[in-house]
Structures are given as structure tokens and as C-alpha cells.
Amino acid sequence: MLRGIDDPIAVQHEVEFLAERSRQVADSGGIVDHFLSDEWRRRTEKLGKPMSEESKQHLLNLALNQDNDVHLRKRAFLLWEISIREGDINVARAIKTGDPLYNSAVWARVRRRDFTVIPELLEKIKENPRYWWQAGRYIWADDLTVALKESLYALPEVPEEKHEELGEWIFPELMLRLDIKTSEQLLLGIWPKVRMLPTFVQLAMCLATPRLVDLANLAISEAADPRKLFEHFLHTAGLNINGRTDFSRFEQLDAIRPHLIHFSELELAQLWDFCNERNWQEFRITYIEPILASLPPSALTRRRTSDSIDMSDLEQELTSRRWRTYHWIEQQELNGVKREELFPALIQWVQGKGDIQALAVVAEIYSKDATRTEYLQFEDVAERIDGHEDILAAVKFAVFNRTLL
């Protein structure tokens, strides 16, 4: 009930709740419920409503009070850290090694791009690379490039099951943030030892320099099962991660084009969606849809083809009435269907059904998207269906009130 209320008393109750959860899971190794923190993060980063100075100061007082137990201090500091304000860096710098708040203070300085934290961050990366390499999302310096090179070179020397502990999961994201030439040189330096590892084959495709693409193509041609080299490709490329825009160049699409046959049905379907979102319709129609069309019909492939207009949402709306039609025109256009083909298809569908229920389904689409000329076609078919009067009047009002054309 107190979630997101910006008041010192309210945030103290939130912190006490989180601290109690922390105490409960301390011995079991469980995870503290972060929904309260997530709400403040949403308010700060998405809504532009950071925590007030009064609430932040109260949290800081709780965090710095040595009389409070470590769980309360840590949770208060973590909640304090979410909203960034002037002066935060000085507070975080004052927290030294050995203090229970030290790790969180280092993280606070990283998120505020305090470059004086780099030496301490490098030490943290050595201690726990799997966690601390995430700092590269917020801050970068030449020293981190050197450290990344060391981590990359160390990776092939340990068993593959240890790679995640060294940070392999985030290396592609970090390298796709660097300039292409630097990342290419880093990858070329370890390529002979990682050329059959999916993460690095996929990274080569995402960097998409001519040399890396040639090397990746050779590795793929020699692989016993090329499909394994493309598992979770969309994650490596950052296509299914909010805020990532690393995969946006034509060269990247061209690099994966010959290998789409090795993608799973799920990833092909997801890539189909991304092509719509990023206006890559030509690539989708030419290269992805023929592969999807060759697969057995499934929930994933059913709607992802531009061979015909998809009427399935209309059929489901007849029975479920779940407002599936609100974006129907927009979705069909994303699928590659031209607008001038859609309204005649709706008329034909209603005529085929010939009842008031189908007319009501299509009425919602006309009310939202039709022109006055398209409305007249709707009027012509509606007048042949018993009980049409109220529906027709509502659609006419909506269309004529919305547009003059």
C-alpha cells in the first residue's frame, strides 16, 4: 500500500519491510523481494519522478546510523541510491572498504559516472567478474578495455562450465558498446580458441566486419551442428532486451541472412516481429517468411506470413470479445498488407458471416480507422443485416466525428 509514496515515514516502512525480508532469507541464500525498489526505479527512470530530498535524506540517515543492524542499513542505502541527486557522489565516496555499504557505494558511484571509482571497480571485477562487469553499462574507460581484454584471454583457459562465472554472458553486450574496430581486435585475439563457442560466433556476426563474418562463416561450415551456434542469438544481439540498439546495421542483417535456416522456430518468429518494429519488412518478407512457410503450421508461424490477410483475430473476437481487433489494421500493415486491400477483405468477411455479431466485430475497426468513403461501403453491407441500426449509427458518428475525408 505504501509503494511509491514519497514521504520519509512511508519509505522507512518500506525499508523496514525489505530489511525483515533480508533477515528471513539471510541463512537460506534466498532473494529479497524487490518490488518496492522496482517501483522507485520505475518512477525515477520512466516517469521522471525521483525521490524527494527529504525522503532520500531520511534513508541515508538510516543507512549511516551504526546503531542500526546491517540489514536495515543495506536496504536503506540501496533504496537511497535509486534516485540520483547532486551530492550523491560525495556521500558514496565517503564509504570505505570494510563498511557493509561499500559494495553498494561503489555501484552508486558507477551509476553516477564517477570516474575516480575505476581503480576500485577493477578490483571488484577481479573478485566477482560475473556481477561487476555489469558496471560497463554505465561507465567505461581505457583501463576497463584493458581489463576486458584480460578477461577475454582468460576465458578459453578454463572449462566451459566456468565461463559464466568469468562474465561471458555480458561480454557481447560490452563489446557491442565499444567502437567496432576495438571490439574486432579483441575478438580476433582469441578467435582460434573460441571459434566454436556460440557466444563468440554470434558476436562476430553482430560486429559484422568483413573479416569476422568470413571467420564465422568458416566456423559454421565446419560445425557438426550449426544450429547450436545460433541458440539464443537474439539475446546476444540485444534484440529482446529493452534499451539495446546494437543490432541495427544492414551489414548485421546481411551477415545472418545465409544462416537463418539454423535459427529455431521461436527465434525466427521473434526476429519476424523485430523486423516489423524496425521497419525491415523487405528483409522479413524475402528471407524469413519463406522459411516459416516451410515449417509445419503452429502458433508461432500462423500469423507470420504475408501470403494472405490474417482474419484469425476476427474469428476469435466473435466468441471471446477480448478487443483483439483494436490494432488490426496496424498489424496487417506491419505484416506487409496494403491498406486498400484490408477494408474490402472486412466487407467480404462480414458478407460471408451474414450476421449481426460479425458486423459488430468489424464495426470496431471501422470506427477507429475507416475514412468516410470506406464507411459508405460498410453502410452498404450493414443495411442488409437485420438489427444493424444502432451499430451503423455508432460507426457513422465515430467516423464522421473523427475525419472529414
Side-chain angles (χ1 to χ4, degrees), residues 257-269:
R257 175 183 50 78
H259 308 294
L260 291 173
I261 57 171
H262 302 313
F263 281 51
S264 69
E265 181 181 349
L266 175 59
E267 293 230 325
L268 280 172

Side-chain angles (χ1 to χ4, degrees), residues 290-347:
I291 300 175
L292 288 173
S294 70
L295 300 175
S298 70
L300 290 172
T301 62
R302 176 175 56 84
R303 297 178 58 185
R304 293 173 171 88
T305 172
S306 58
D307 291 341
S308 62
I309 299 172
D310 180 15
M311 312 299 281
S312 60
D313 279 344
L314 306 186
E315 296 289 345
Q316 292 185 43
E317 189 72 4
L318 278 177
T319 55
S320 65
R321 301 299 292 169
R322 294 184 179 177
W323 300 96
R324 295 178 181 272
T325 58
Y326 189 76
H327 295 293
W328 189 81
I329 293 290
E330 177 184 351
Q331 184 60 54
Q332 300 307 312
E333 289 180 323
L334 285 173
N335 292 356
V337 183
K338 296 180 180 179
R339 179 187 173 90
E340 56 264 29
E341 299 174 2
L342 294 172
F343 287 96
L346 291 173
I347 294 297

Side-chain angles (χ1 to χ4, degrees), residues 97-227:
T97 306
D99 192 302
L101 305 181
Y102 178 68
N103 283 353
S104 298
V106 171
W107 189 255
R109 292 168 65 187
V110 163
R111 287 219 312 132
R112 289 155 178 80
R113 294 178 57 79
D114 175 14
F115 284 90
T116 68
V117 81
I118 295 295
E120 293 165 85
L121 175 58
L122 291 171
E123 291 301 315
K124 287 296 172 187
I125 289 173
K126 291 178 182 177
E127 294 172 11
N128 185 358
R130 179 177 187 171
Y131 175 79
W132 283 100
W133 268 123
Q134 294 178 86
R137 293 169 172 165
Y138 303 99
I139 193 171
W140 201 263
D142 290 344
D143 287 345
L144 287 170
T145 303
V146 173
L148 179 60
K149 180 177 180 179
E150 292 173 358
S151 291
L152 287 168
Y153 277 61
L155 196 73
E157 307 306 321
V158 301
E160 195 168 335
E161 59 268 21
K162 298 284 188 179
H163 285 190
E164 289 299 297
E165 296 178 17
L166 295 181
E168 181 189 26
W169 71 275
I170 199 172
F171 288 162
E173 180 179 343
L174 298 178
M175 294 175 72
L176 288 171
R177 290 173 182 267
L178 297 176
D179 67 272
I180 294 175
K181 184 177 180 180
T182 298
S183 294
E184 180 184 40
Q185 290 304 312
L186 288 173
L187 185 53
L188 288 173
I190 59 168
W191 183 257
K193 296 182 178 181
V194 300
R195 60 190 297 272
M196 287 301 179
L197 297 179
T199 296
F200 296 100
V201 173
Q202 294 171 23
L203 176 58
M205 290 290 181
C206 290
L207 290 169
T209 66
R211 187 174 181 186
L212 287 176
V213 170
D214 286 344
L215 289 171
N217 285 337
L218 179 60
I220 294 163
S221 69
E222 296 175 355
D225 185 358
R227 292 179 64 88

Side-chain angles (χ1 to χ4, degrees), residues 272-291:
W272 186 97
D273 291 334
F274 288 120
C275 285
N276 283 344
E277 292 176 9
R278 304 193 178 199
N279 202 29
W280 300 335
Q281 279 86 354
E282 184 176 350
F283 184 87
R284 183 205 77 205
I285 294 169
T286 305
Y287 301 113
I288 299 177
E289 290 186 1
I291 300 175

